[in-house]
Amino acid sequence: MQARILLVDDAPELLEKLCRYLTGAGYLVSAVGTRAEAVERFAAEYPDVCIVDYELPDGTGFDADIASGITWATDNGADIINLSLGGFGSSTSLD
């Protein structure tokens, strides 16, 4: 069974590149651009991994409803990795 990944970011170009890269690596990938969409998609798909941007147009990646989803996931056997990337300076392209 392929692992399911949910990407949450308000940068469409980044989502497109990540989707292409992760799909090419054999993952099932869903992508959304807001916190509200993330909560809805998480409840519908139960992804194995979520990669969530911190600053979203309708809140942050750590708002209570997302935190509740993460808590539920860990209580039901999911492994959670908190990875924070960002800031100013250099960047790496996935092209």
Side-chain angles (χ1 to χ4, degrees):
M1 182 170 119
Q2 292 177 301
R4 295 176 312 267
I5 299 176
L6 174 60
L7 303 174
V8 186
D9 201 296
D10 58 336
E13 306 84 17
L14 176 61
L15 284 178
E16 181 183 334
K17 288 179 182 182
L18 284 171
C19 283
R20 187 175 56 234
Y21 180 80
L22 293 169
T23 300
Y27 297 100
L28 296 173
V29 181
S30 294
V32 296
T34 67
R35 179 193 56 76
E37 291 171 321
V39 171
E40 183 178 302
R41 190 70 60 93
F42 187 88
E45 297 181 2
Y46 302 109
D48 299 299
V49 175
C50 294
I51 301 174
V52 183
D53 185 18
Y54 180 76
E55 290 291 329
L56 297 166
D58 58 344
T60 72
F62 293 107
D63 282 342
D65 45 3
I66 289 181
S68 294
I70 291 171
T71 300
W72 178 89
T74 58
D75 288 348
N76 287 279
D79 293 322
I80 302 295
I81 299 172
N82 182 358
L83 176 63
S84 179
L85 302 173
F88 299 97
S90 64
S91 64
T92 301
S93 174
L94 296 175
D95 286 334

